[in-house]
Amino acid sequence: MYEIFQKYLEDRTTLTDSESAYIKSFAIIKKLRKRQYLLQEGDIWKYDAFITQGCLRTYSVDDKGSEHVNSFSIENWWTGDRESLMFQQPSRFNIDAIEDSELILFTHENFEMLCREIPAFNNMVNAILQKSFIAAQNRIQASLSFTAEEKYLNFINKYPGFASRIPQTMIASYLGMTPETLSRIRKQTAKK
């Protein structure tokens, strides 16, 4: 499992063998079964988490018991609750596995120390954070200005493999529409 993370690092930065070994020495391997929580609302998130296998979702539950999916995360992506991590406050989110999943975790203290001690690793992390910020901006823009059909088409074009891995009810929640609306849109776009 760690080999997947090692390849991810090799594809994005240049590390010495000793730097790679040093990073590996702090890695914690975590396996989740389908529907198992990585984080529950009210807990404080303490890790930087990289997914080597599987699919997870980050979501909240409102007062009426409705789930609101904030994001999905798959292989070679990072997941977690940055707000809870940075401010050490109880999370407003749940993160659970949509599929059996495997992750590499680093305690945030160790992750920060690795960033301080290995400049190439820090540069890679900063590049990832910038891309995440841009992705969040694009998601907000789509949410505010796209029609329901445009939201769906944007989603399947941007994430073509997700539709076959993620239940339609979760995709509908992520897109901010009812499952019935998503079903109608899927039928309409299939006819085109």
Side-chain angles (χ1 to χ4, degrees):
M1 176 188 335
Y2 189 83
E3 298 74 33
I4 295 168
F5 182 62
Q6 183 65 40
K7 173 139 181 35
Y8 175 87
L9 293 175
E10 290 168 1
D11 290 345
R12 284 160 182 78
T13 192
T14 303
L15 300 168
T16 66
D17 289 344
S18 62
E19 288 171 334
S20 292
Y22 191 56
I23 292 168
K24 184 177 182 179
S25 72
F26 293 100
I28 303 164
I29 295 172
K30 175 81 173 172
K31 294 184 178 189
L32 296 174
R33 293 177 314 280
K34 183 177 180 177
R35 297 187 190 93
Q36 186 176 356
Y37 286 102
L38 177 64
L39 173 68
Q40 285 188 274
E41 179 182 355
D43 292 345
I44 296 175
W45 181 242
K46 297 179 172 129
Y47 300 98
D48 289 89
F50 178 83
I51 302 166
T52 58
Q53 179 183 325
C55 182
L56 290 89
R57 68 176 171 148
T58 302
Y59 67 99
S60 61
V61 180
D62 67 21
D63 294 340
K64 297 175 186 171
S66 298
E67 293 179 355
H68 302 280
V69 177
N70 187 39
S71 64
F72 300 108
S73 305
I74 60 168
E75 296 87 1
N76 291 323
W77 289 18
W78 295 83
T79 191
D81 181 348
R82 299 281 315 159
E83 182 180 35
S84 177
L85 181 69
M86 300 311 295
F87 299 110
Q88 287 298 288
Q89 64 188 30
S91 179
R92 296 176 292 136
F93 299 103
N94 297 290
I95 302 175
D96 68 5
I98 295 171
E99 305 169 346
D100 289 348
S101 301
E102 297 177 352
L103 300 93
I104 304 291
L105 304 178
F106 295 91
T107 64
H108 190 59
E109 295 78 19
N110 287 339
F111 194 81
E112 289 289 305
M113 182 258 316
L114 290 169
C115 286
R116 282 192 308 274
E117 295 183 9
I118 305 173
F121 186 74
N122 187 57
N123 291 340
M124 179 198 76
V125 169
N126 285 333
I128 292 165
L129 289 173
Q130 289 175 6
K131 287 179 183 177
S132 295
F133 182 78
I134 292 166
Q137 279 184 312
N138 291 336
R139 175 154 155 65
I140 292 166
Q141 180 63 29
S143 178
L144 295 173
S145 61
F146 286 10
T147 65
E149 183 176 347
E150 288 170 334
K151 287 178 190 178
Y152 174 69
L153 293 173
N154 182 56
F155 177 79
I156 61 171
N157 288 330
K158 199 169 210 168
Y159 310 111
F162 281 26
S164 62
R165 296 176 74 174
I166 298 170
Q168 294 302 304
T169 56
M170 291 181 191
I171 293 173
S173 174
Y174 175 80
L175 296 174
M177 60 183 73
T178 65
E180 295 78 18
T181 299
L182 178 58
S183 180
R184 180 178 43 78
I185 290 169
R186 290 180 69 224
K187 287 177 187 172
Q188 288 172 349
T189 57
K191 291 177 185 177
K192 291 182 181 180

